[in-house]
């Protein structure tokens, strides 16, 4: 059914079925939790240097290529940075998109552009349009589940989603993720989700306190209560307890991911999608990211970019490669799509400035949305691919240039959402297209 037909049908009769209701009924009737497509998004707030990770430029001058050497991967012709040897060993299981480009160059409008597909009108850390995760949550919303549709994990402040610049916007905080904040290695409490070794509920009042600290306290009281009840259900229903309880994992599996917040959150992400959660975000920031802001914003005034990258590389390489292998080993690679990204790349040319903390001259790279790389794995798509290319200095795409709406259209295709014909209501109830334009990237669509 085309969008015009849907709108026309919706005008006839108070009893007309709404689109969200239709999609909900269809999904519940036809697809079980074990068959529903899912997405895990690993987000590196600040901006990953594409040249120092997935798009090295060994033939460029030293002021472009940096100090790290390229290494061969399992896939002939695909080279990545020496910082990522574990990923190099499993490159046949993931695909690199090296030619995504956009125009939003700050930490507020960059995520909004990348995750909503819409052009941004301001640089405020406030969503203008719903991001694709919140829209998916809206379209797949189901009451009465012991598990939420959407979970956001982070140790970077208390934001439940990737960053405060994105979110459900005019759809309402009901469609924001359930927040999981905390380090599983130092406490057995994740946003108040505390269980003892037998999996029984303790300190239920802590749940309310943690939720009150989250951004949900800005929502209507009934929404806070709804999320509170949902979280209590997670604590009291056996299936939900199992999904969130990392103590049920063998110690060797936890060790394989790494006993870090990043590693254990990635393990939790696998457990959640395996249990039936549709959408999981993990923000790979916080203390383990280092740098001046505990993120990937590696300006020279913030940190020595190459020291920062080297310090976080083993953790980053381990948790991503282990998660990819785990998804494949458990047969989740067909229905779960893993995306690893930041909001933009970083300037090809290295600059040197006096550090705000170190007070010595050090190297850095600045914001660069003109070119960035994104890793995709699972989702039924073939691995071992490199899509697109940037020029010899990594400045801009010279092959297969794509924009954020193409990436989002690709994810919607995986989730079974018709991005060209689906709308959501804005604050006035007017239908707004979930994506202004864009088409799925052929190499990133499921193969029979």
């Amino acid at each position: 059914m085309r969008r015009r037909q849907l709108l026309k049908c919706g005008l006839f009769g108070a009893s007309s079925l709404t689109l969200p209701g239709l999609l909900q009924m269809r999904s519940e009737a036809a697809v079980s939790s074990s068959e529903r497509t899912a997405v895990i998004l690993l987000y590196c707030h600040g901006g990953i240097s594409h040249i120092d990770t997935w798009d090295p430029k060994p033939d460029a001058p030293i002021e472009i290529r940096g100090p790290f050497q390229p290494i061969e991967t399992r896939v002939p012709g695909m080279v990545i940075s020496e910082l990522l040897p574990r990923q190099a060993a499993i490159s046949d299981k993931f695909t690199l998109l090296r030619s995504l480009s956009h125009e939003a160059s700050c930490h507020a409008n960059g995520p909004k552009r990348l995750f909503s597909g819409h052009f941004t009108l301001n640089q405020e850390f406030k969503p203008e349009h719903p991001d694709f995760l919140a829209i998916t949550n809206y379209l797949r919303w189901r009451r009465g589940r012991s598990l939420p549709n959407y979970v956001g994990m982070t140790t970077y402040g208390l934001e439940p989603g990737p960053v405060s610049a994105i979110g459900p916007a005019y759809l309402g905080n009901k469609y924001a993720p359930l927040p999981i904040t905390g380090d599983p290695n130092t406490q057995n409490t994740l946003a108040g989700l505390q269980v003892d070794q037998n999996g029984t509920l303790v300190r239920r009042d802590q749940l309310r306190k943690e939720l009150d600290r989250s951004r949900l306290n800005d929502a209507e009281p009934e929404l806070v209560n709804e999320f509170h009840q949902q979280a209590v259900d997670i604590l009291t229903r056996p299936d939900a307890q199992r999904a969130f309880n990392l103590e049920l994992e063998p110690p060797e599996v936890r060790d394989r991911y790494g006993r870090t917040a990043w590693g254990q959150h990635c393990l939790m992400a696998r457990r959640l999608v395996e249990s039936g959660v549709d959408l999981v975000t993990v923000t790979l920031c916080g203390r383990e990211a280092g740098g001046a802001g505990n993120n990937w914003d590696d300006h020279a005034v913030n940190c020595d970019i190459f020291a920062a990258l080297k310090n976080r590389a083993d953790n980053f390489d381990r948790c991503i490669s282990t998660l990819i292998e785990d998804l494949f080993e458990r047969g989740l690679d067909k229905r779960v799509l893993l995306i690893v990204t930041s909001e933009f790349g970083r300037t090809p040319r290295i600059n040197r400035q006096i550090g705000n903390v170190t007070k010595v001259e050090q190297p850095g790279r600045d914001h660069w949305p003109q070119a960035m790389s994104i890793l995709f794995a699972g989702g039924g798509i073939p691995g071992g691919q490199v899509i697109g290319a940037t020029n010899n200095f990594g400045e801009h795409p010279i092959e297969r240039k794509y924009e954020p709406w193409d990436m989002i259209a690709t994810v919607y295709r995986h989730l079974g959402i018709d991005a060209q014909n689906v709308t959501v209501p804005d604050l006035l109830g007017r239908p707004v297209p979930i994506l202004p334009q864009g088409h799925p990237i052929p190499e990133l669509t499921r193969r029979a």
Side-chain angles (χ1 to χ4, degrees), residues 40 74-75 87 89-95 256-257 266 270 273-274 319-339 375-385 414 444 446:
I40 298 174
R74 190 180 181 88
V75 176
Q87 292 178 41
I90 61 163
S91 60
D92 58 324
K93 291 181 169 61
F94 64 77
T95 288
R256 182 181 170 196
Y257 274 88
C266 286
R270 187 268 288 165
V273 296
E274 193 171 37
C319 65
I320 291 173
S321 59
T322 304
L323 178 55
I324 292 172
E325 290 180 307
D326 211 3
L327 292 174
F328 275 81
E329 289 168 4
R330 292 173 175 271
L332 297 170
D333 56 290
K334 294 295 189 294
R335 73 176 189 87
V336 179
L337 176 64
L338 171 67
I339 307 167
L375 182 149
F376 297 85
I381 63 177
Q385 303 179 95
H414 166 73
L444 293 176
R446 181 187 298 269

Side-chain angles (χ1 to χ4, degrees), residues 256-429:
R256 182 181 170 196
Y257 274 88
R259 296 287 183 146
T260 64
W262 291 5
Q264 299 304 294
H265 280 166
C266 286
L267 174 55
M268 178 76 78
R270 187 268 288 165
R271 289 184 63 84
L272 291 176
V273 296
E274 193 171 37
S275 299
V277 175
D278 293 342
L279 308 164
V280 181
T281 63
V282 179
T283 303
L284 301 182
C285 289
R287 178 180 52 82
E288 292 171 10
N294 288 335
N295 54 38
W296 295 68
D297 193 24
D298 297 333
H299 299 282
V301 295
N302 288 344
C303 62
D304 177 332
I305 182 175
F306 304 120
L309 286 169
K310 192 170 183 179
N311 287 338
R312 66 176 75 109
D314 182 70
N315 193 7
F316 180 71
D317 192 31
R318 177 189 293 272
C319 65
I320 291 173
S321 59
T322 304
L323 178 55
I324 292 172
E325 290 180 307
D326 211 3
L327 292 174
F328 275 81
E329 289 168 4
R330 292 173 175 271
L332 297 170
D333 56 290
K334 294 295 189 294
R335 73 176 189 87
V336 179
L337 176 64
L338 171 67
I339 307 167
V340 188
T341 188
S342 57
E343 61 264 44
F344 39 59
R346 302 202 75 84
T347 50
R349 186 170 297 275
I350 301 163
N351 65 73
R352 303 185 68 88
Q353 299 182 51
I354 301 298
N356 290 333
V357 175
T358 63
K359 306 302 180 186
V360 298
E361 187 178 79
Q362 55 195 17
R365 298 185 192 267
D366 300 322
H367 303 175
W368 193 258
Q370 292 92 323
M372 61 182 295
S373 295
I374 302 177
L375 182 149
F376 297 85
I381 63 177
Q385 303 179 95
V386 176
I387 303 171
T390 56
N391 69 344
N392 291 336
F393 289 0
E395 297 167 309
H396 53 80
I398 56 173
E399 295 178 12
R400 308 283 303 282
K401 178 181 176 180
Y402 288 105
E403 300 205 39
W405 43 53
D406 300 308
M407 180 199 74
I408 297 172
T410 302
V411 179
Y412 279 146
R413 172 70 66 85
H414 166 73
L415 291 167
I417 296 171
D418 183 0
Q420 291 186 320
N421 295 300
V422 174
T423 64
V424 294
D426 67 7
L427 287 172
L428 299 177

Side-chain angles (χ1 to χ4, degrees), residues 131-143:
D131 62 81
F132 71 87
L133 295 155
I135 287 175
T136 301
N137 194 21
Y138 172 84
L139 295 174
R140 287 188 169 188
W141 186 261
R142 290 169 292 166
R143 289 185 178 275

